[in-house]
Amino acid sequence: MEGLTILLFCTSLLSILPLSTATDTIILSQSIRDGDTIVSVGGTFELGFFSPDNSTKRYLGIWYNKISTRTVVWVANRETPIIDSPGVLEVTNQGILQVLSHNESIIWSTNSSRLVQNPIAKLLESGNLVVKDAKDDNPENFLWQSFDYPCDTHLPGMKIGKNMVTGMKRYLSSWKSADDPSRGDFTFELDPRGYPQIFVKKGLDELLRFGPWNGLGFNGALIKPHQLCKFSFVINRKEMYFTCEVAINNSIAVRAVINQNGVLENSQWNDPTQSWMTFRAGPTDNCDSYAFCGPHGYCKIGNSPECSCLKGFVPKFPRDWDTSAWSNGCVRKTSLDCLSGDGFIKYSGIRLPDTRNSWFNESMTLEECKRVCLNNCSCMAYANLYIIGKGSGCLLWFGDLIDIREYSEDKQEIYIRMASSDIGMNLSPKLRKLSECLTF
Ligand SMILES: *[C@@H]1O[C@H](CO)[C@@H](O)[C@H](O)[C@H]1NC(C)=O
Ligand SMILES: *[C@@H]1O[C@H](CO)[C@@H](O)[C@H](O)[C@H]1NC(C)=O
Ligand SMILES: *[C@@H]1O[C@H](CO)[C@@H](O)[C@H](O)[C@H]1NC(C)=O
Ligand SMILES: *[C@@H]1O[C@H](CO)[C@@H](O)[C@H](O)[C@H]1NC(C)=O
Ligand SMILES: *[C@@H]1O[C@H](CO)[C@@H](O)[C@H](O)[C@H]1NC(C)=O
Ligand SMILES: *[C@@H]1O[C@H](CO)[C@@H](O)[C@H](O)[C@H]1NC(C)=O
């Protein structure tokens, strides 16, 4: 205890010394040279120059200060390494943060559209590097922040999504390789079309989809709210984003990384073992692979083959199906007859189909939802948007139903449009009731 008191005393002495290295800010007249670092106020993050393992190139980056295996969470000049000289980081009086090489050429710089009296750069405890007026701590007035330009790592407080006013997108992109932080093939991003969803993509190709947000988590997805992070999904006129708002226990480091193989890994630091513990990673199986069974296909691990058709659908090309080529999916056995009346089959325990071609309303009831769907001949399915309580809101699907898999943990229900003859609407009321309850 006495030792601790002395230690605390010493660190507080240090922090009043003018040239203390334990600062979290860079002011106008200062610069950070290769070898110097700044540390966030609680000691969680450190900013400085580094080289990845097996590389001699120099990068400006942020890593965990207290974690023994260096874990970089952000890189500034990921596309423009410094090759042959020590770099320098400085703030200009225009409020621009820039990295210079020894011959003073600018290697990397930030943007700023505004002038302030006394611009400084500060590394926050969240791991966010911000440029702001020295006196102004309001995040809305930051001139620039690294959280707007994520690399491969999501930290609590960072948004993944799109600003609808400025058009700015925030998404994760993998490193090219373990020793090269430049932009690799894989991204983790929000797709704003229809009811917004999160995808892992390789270039333009979808690899993995996190089912629609149902108010509590992503339907049929690997990311679920857990005890370490408070997730939220926000959609309004100004922005749409997904975030882990706060780490629930600040003393445990949590992060999500899209790695160079396209795997999204969630992990937390485990002090006793001095290692990262990965607690959720994906994709895990064939059924996670986007649209594995094609349109109107249904994927179930443990079935042989894993792909089958939804009830009332048959393989589009049966011969493909025999050779395990499922991507063309399934078509209806009986065409819909919108005008003389269709019905619906209810499913639960599945991951809901891709919502990029969908429409949603947050306040409609399930009854209203059904009515709207029935009255629109191109509506193929409907569901409650949110599952909290008895469920609320309305989600309507148009076009093909894609990327459905068995997911027994999820009880969110979906009603898929069928020709009345396929669901026994001509049966006795009692039997009809039975058939409406059909589920997998
Ligand atoms: C500075 O050095 C880089 C390479 O190290 C070179 O490409 C650039 O032309 C140099 N700039 C000046 C102004 O000499
Ligand atoms: C600066 O702004 C330009 C144009 O708006 C943009 O293309 C570029 O990515 C921005 N760079 C940074 C580091 O913010
Ligand atoms: C660095 O090189 C060694 C030997 O080639 C290799 O075992 C190690 O995995 C490499 N590390 C990284 C991060 O690439
Ligand atoms: C936070 O995590 C630390 C380390 O595991 C633990 O000792 C502490 O009790 C936790 N605090 C809360 C409020 O859960
Ligand atoms: C959603 O539905 C409610 C109730 O039917 C309606 O009042 C509201 O205008 C709808 N909102 C949108 C954006 O369509
Ligand atoms: C059906 O819904 C689609 C998508 O919202 C819309 O474009 C179309 O106009 C609707 N059709 C009818 C007849 O309401």
Side-chain angles (χ1 to χ4, degrees):
M1 192 61 209
E2 204 167 276
L4 185 66
T5 322
I6 290 168
L7 192 73
L8 285 175
F9 179 63
C10 286
T11 35
S12 60
L13 246 191
L14 265 179
S15 64
I16 56 168
L17 294 176
L19 281 175
S20 158
T21 49
T23 177
D24 62 354
T25 13
I26 309 170
I27 59 173
L28 258 183
S29 54
Q30 256 183 351
S31 57
I32 296 280
R33 294 176 181 281
D34 195 327
D36 296 343
T37 60
I38 61 173
V39 173
S40 63
V41 65
T44 301
F45 289 99
E46 184 168 28
L47 168 105
F49 290 92
F50 75 99
S51 294
D53 290 348
N54 298 351
S55 167
T56 54
K57 296 175 179 170
R58 303 298 285 169
Y59 296 90
L60 177 73
I62 298 173
W63 54 87
Y64 292 93
N65 174 43
K66 293 176 187 162
I67 284 175
S68 51
T69 48
R70 191 184 54 209
T71 308
V72 173
V73 297
W74 183 76
V75 182
N77 54 323
R78 65 189 303 197
E79 305 293 343
T80 51
I82 307 171
I83 310 247
D84 53 1
S85 64
V88 171
L89 172 67
E90 62 180 31
V91 187
T92 72
N93 51 16
Q94 263 79 48
I96 288 171
L97 194 61
Q98 59 190 26
V99 174
L100 307 173
S101 71
H102 73 298
N103 66 2
E104 308 265 291
S105 61
I106 297 173
I107 298 283
W108 175 88
S109 76
T110 66
N111 285 339
S112 171
S113 50
R114 220 151 43 80
L115 290 178
V116 295
Q117 208 168 19
N118 184 11
I120 61 161
K122 182 171 180 174
L123 179 60
L124 305 182
E125 250 310 86
S126 57
N128 193 6
L129 175 66
V130 306
V131 181
K132 65 184 200 73
D133 188 48
K135 288 207 209 77
D136 190 347
D137 281 327
N138 182 350
E140 306 234 318
N141 298 333
F142 290 163
L143 301 182
W144 180 89
Q145 55 179 334
S146 63
F147 271 17
D148 284 344
Y149 303 92
C151 290
D152 67 341
T153 304
H154 180 271
L155 296 174
M158 207 181 241
K159 296 173 178 176
I160 299 294
K162 184 172 181 186
N163 183 315
M164 308 308 282
V165 181
T166 63
M168 180 199 274
K169 283 184 176 171
R170 301 184 187 90
Y171 60 94
L172 304 184
S173 56
S174 63
W175 284 26
K176 198 157 262 168
S177 64
D179 59 8
D180 180 0
S182 66
R183 207 172 283 272
D185 290 339
F186 301 100
T187 58
F188 176 69
E189 59 184 277
L190 179 140
D191 191 316
R193 284 174 283 178
Y195 183 51
Q197 298 167 112
I198 306 270
F199 284 89
V200 172
K201 290 190 181 177
K202 180 176 187 183
L204 295 175
D205 296 337
E206 301 83 6
L207 296 187
L208 175 64
R209 181 177 65 95
F210 295 87
W213 181 259
N214 60 26
L216 291 177
F218 290 103
N219 161 279
L222 309 151
I223 304 186
K224 288 236 178 279
H226 54 83
Q227 64 281 19
L228 291 174
C229 210
K230 184 165 173 281
F231 281 110
S232 63
F233 195 75
V234 173
I235 301 172
N236 57 41
R237 283 212 189 84
K238 275 165 65 185
E239 52 185 349
M240 45 179 78
Y241 63 86
F242 154 68
T243 191
C244 146
E245 282 172 78
V246 280
I248 284 171
N249 186 335
N250 275 324
S251 60
I252 299 176
V254 263
R255 63 186 182 131
V257 175
I258 177 83
N259 75 16
Q260 55 268 17
N261 303 316
V263 176
L264 185 83
E265 294 177 335
N266 287 270
S267 54
Q268 71 179 73
W269 181 251
N270 186 307
D271 240 356
T273 62
Q274 290 288 295
S275 61
W276 286 101
M277 209 163 71
T278 300
F279 52 94
R280 239 170 239 113
T284 50
D285 55 35
N286 279 343
C287 291
D288 270 344
S289 181
Y290 179 76
F292 189 70
C293 297
H296 308 113
Y298 170 82
C299 196
K300 183 171 183 195
I301 295 299
N303 275 6
S304 180
E306 284 155 348
C307 289
S308 55
C309 291
L310 292 173
K311 272 196 280 288
F313 289 79
V314 290
K316 185 168 182 191
F317 303 117
R319 222 173 311 146
D320 281 2
W321 212 259
D322 293 340
T323 59
S324 304
W326 291 302
S327 59
N328 287 312
C330 310
V331 290
R332 288 181 187 280
K333 240 187 296 193
T334 318
S335 323
L336 294 173
D337 184 3
C338 187
L339 297 180
S340 58
D342 296 323
F344 296 93
I345 291 186
K346 178 168 91 175
Y347 291 80
S348 77
I350 67 170
R351 177 174 61 203
L352 302 188
D354 192 342
T355 58
R356 280 182 292 179
N357 195 3
S358 74
W359 177 93
F360 67 100
N361 176 309
E362 294 183 300
S363 60
M364 276 162 64
T365 64
L366 197 60
E367 267 313 304
E368 289 170 319
C369 196
K370 177 179 183 178
R371 204 164 52 237
V372 173
C373 190
L374 214 44
N375 289 335
N376 185 321
C377 294
S378 35
C379 177
M380 291 302 143
Y382 71 94
N384 263 147
L385 193 58
Y386 302 127
I387 59 169
I388 301 167
K390 285 186 183 144
S392 61
C394 175
L395 186 50
L396 302 180
W397 280 263
F398 300 94
D400 290 345
L401 304 173
I402 297 172
D403 200 32
I404 298 176
R405 73 170 290 172
E406 186 244 9
Y407 199 78
S408 54
E409 286 167 56
D410 236 303
K411 298 295 177 236
Q412 188 163 5
E413 290 163 354
I414 180 174
Y415 298 82
I416 295 179
R417 186 180 209 124
M418 300 305 295
S420 51
S421 60
D422 280 350
I423 49 170
M425 297 254 289
N426 43 3
L427 299 176
S428 71
K430 204 170 177 184
L431 278 175
R432 192 188 312 164
K433 205 160 196 161
L434 250 180
S435 72
E436 277 175 359
C437 295
L438 275 178
T439 54
F440 267 101

